Amino acid sequence: MSSKRLRSDQESGVGRKRQLKRQELAELNPLLLEAKERVSEAWSRGLEYSHEQSLLLGTRPFTHCVISNFIQSQLFLEGLQNELLQLNFHEKSNDLYKFKQSDDLRRRKEYHISALRKVLFEDFRTWLSDIAGIKLESTVDLSCAKYEYTDVLLCHDDELEGRRIAFILYLVPEWATSDGGTLDLYDADDRYQPQQIAKSLTPSWNTLVFFEVSPTSHHQVSEVLSEGMCRLSVSGWFHGPLQERPPRYIEPLSPQCPHIECDEQIFYDWINPIYLDISAQAQIQEEFEEKSEILLKNFFKKEKFQMVCEALHSPEIKWKRRGPANKRCYDQAEEDGLPDILAKCMELFCSEAMFLLLSNFTGLKLHFLAASDNDDDEEDEQEDEVEDSDGNEHACSSTEKDTKSDSTDHKGDESREEGKVGTTENEMPGESPRNPDVPVCRGELRHWRNGYYTLIHDTNVENSEFALDLLLCCGCEGWDEEFGGVTSYIAKGEDEELLTLCPEDNSLALIYRDKETLKFVKHINQRSISQCKRTHERRGFWDFSFVYYE
């Protein structure tokens, strides 16, 4: 009697296991097969289509598809979620993104991950290949990503050799648009540059989104705004035959100008007297030559800096948003109509006296009075003479001699001369040639706040020359590096940061960079609002940003 019960219980247990296995099978939603022909026709004709509100094919701003209840089994999805959360995740952070990512999932042996991979690589790839009319390869990129508070993936197009279809499967808790983490799709102009967000897709459990990778498929994952939320997803790309792409649009250079005449008294009214001392300038130059960067605190006189900070809140200033979003996002002040104190500050950075002072700080040849290595030999044989505009020679005045650089030996002169851009073969497309013997600068007044950033991009012609970067920040008291907004320098092709500058009030940063050094401003995140104690916390900060060329 007991043996029969035991056998019956064993058989019952086996049955439950079989039932459990059936429930844990990874099977696609049958509606994909039901709607296949109609989806394929709509895709080929560029039409929108919906099927029982479970499959939505959209065409604006570019063709994309949203599939609800992608996998049939809820039990399978829960098992998949558990396996994914147990993976090792690596912090990914650079100019474009900040989130955590797993290793490649193509070789993972866990049951649920393996089953999902089989469904994606076989059943779904076949369906997708027929829908899009693209012969997709069996090799598929696949990884898992976790986006948590303040994580973000900024505007990009996914274009990389061989990528044809991008996809994302969401395994998120109940999610609202106010939590952030939306998939934002951008429309594009006739140069294939992103313009504005045309559509936002809020992630939801067991929903898969896919779209064809193209020059116009610009999208982003918006910043996650809610603490304690985890935006878990599995994503990747299907590969296929290469497509011919239009050439990348290269922006023209912003205007460069030589120094301008400026009343010398204004210069002395603004600059902290310690930085006008010849011996202090020599010491600064020695440190700069050793490190190629320096931070000069309390650069402006206190009263002048306070006046500048007050003027930056003026409603008279006309701000324009700088884009496109795949390169930058911040506000730039239009120089016409600036309050007088800000206009004078901009003129000061372009002035002849500033060019000379920066020469004395750095040893760079930014002014004809600035000493160079060649001058050492000439000064042993010749008197200090300059030629006036009429061609007549006269001796330098004592004032001119006093303003000359006290230290003339610069370790980087030889390498800078070899790398200078000025010949036709070294110019990048879209770049206007300039006289390499005339020092010039370009500059702007910028406003930074939550959501703003700059990105490294391969069409940046402004990185084609050796240059001296100048940065002076305002209104950033109490700013913390974890807010973002820091300026980072990296070597081309590397992720490791060479230098990081956190915004600091009234501190003049000078950085000399070569053509292999890139810079960006990190995305300013939600913490800049929620944790900043300043009364004007939502206004962010401002900076004067200038670049000087020998």
Side-chain angles (χ1 to χ4, degrees), residues 201-230:
L201 303 174
T202 302
S204 61
W205 177 263
N206 192 21
T207 294
L208 184 135
V209 177
F210 71 87
F211 56 85
E212 186 171 4
V213 175
S214 75
T216 61
S217 60
H218 295 100
H219 59 283
Q220 72 168 10
V221 176
S222 66
E223 181 183 359
V224 175
L225 303 176
S226 297
E227 296 189 64
M229 299 286 281
C230 176

Side-chain angles (χ1 to χ4, degrees), residues 277-441:
D277 180 76
I278 295 297
S279 59
Q281 292 175 12
Q283 185 176 352
I284 290 169
Q285 185 181 139
E286 182 179 354
E287 182 179 341
F288 182 86
E289 289 174 344
E290 180 181 351
K291 300 179 179 179
S292 296
E293 53 94 5
I294 198 166
L295 187 67
L296 306 179
K297 299 190 176 186
N298 300 313
F299 184 72
F300 284 152
K301 290 183 176 179
K302 186 176 180 179
E303 60 274 16
K304 286 293 184 183
F305 182 73
Q306 186 61 38
M307 292 170 67
V308 167
C309 289
E310 292 174 359
L312 287 168
H313 295 86
S314 172
E316 299 176 14
I317 304 175
K318 298 177 182 177
W319 299 98
K320 61 179 179 181
R321 182 69 53 84
R322 287 294 313 276
N326 61 337
K327 296 180 175 69
R328 63 189 71 83
C329 178
Y330 62 84
D331 292 334
Q332 179 185 18
E334 296 183 6
E335 293 194 32
D336 292 340
L338 278 179
D340 185 61
I341 189 72
L342 298 182
K344 287 181 178 178
C345 188
M346 293 291 288
E347 291 174 4
L348 183 66
F349 285 119
C350 297
S351 69
E352 181 178 5
M354 181 61 76
F355 272 68
L356 181 55
L357 183 63
L358 294 176
S359 297
N360 292 347
F361 283 161
T362 64
L364 301 175
K365 192 72 174 176
L366 294 173
H367 194 280
F368 74 93
L369 287 178
S372 67
D373 291 343
N374 294 334
D375 295 336
D376 292 342
D377 298 330
E378 295 175 0
E379 286 177 358
D380 292 338
E381 302 173 0
Q382 302 176 358
E383 295 181 357
D384 291 317
E385 295 179 338
V386 296
E387 189 171 33
D388 62 21
S389 59
D390 296 323
N392 301 317
E393 292 184 349
H394 65 277
C396 285
S397 67
S398 58
T399 303
E400 288 172 331
K401 288 180 180 179
D402 289 342
T403 57
K404 290 187 74 174
S405 174
D406 189 59
S407 176
T408 60
D409 180 29
H410 195 287
K411 300 175 183 177
D413 283 344
E414 184 176 349
S415 64
R416 288 201 310 279
E417 291 299 320
E418 292 174 351
K420 247 184 194 177
V421 172
T423 57
T424 303
E425 61 268 24
N426 285 335
E427 288 163 10
M428 292 184 67
E431 181 178 6
S432 301
R434 70 172 181 86
N435 185 345
D437 297 322
V438 178
V440 295
C441 75

Side-chain angles (χ1 to χ4, degrees), residues 7-22:
R7 189 163 51 248
S8 177
D9 290 343
Q10 287 174 338
E11 290 173 355
S12 177
V14 170
R16 283 196 297 271
K17 287 180 181 178
R18 288 175 180 169
Q19 184 180 9
L20 186 63
K21 280 294 182 183
R22 283 198 300 272

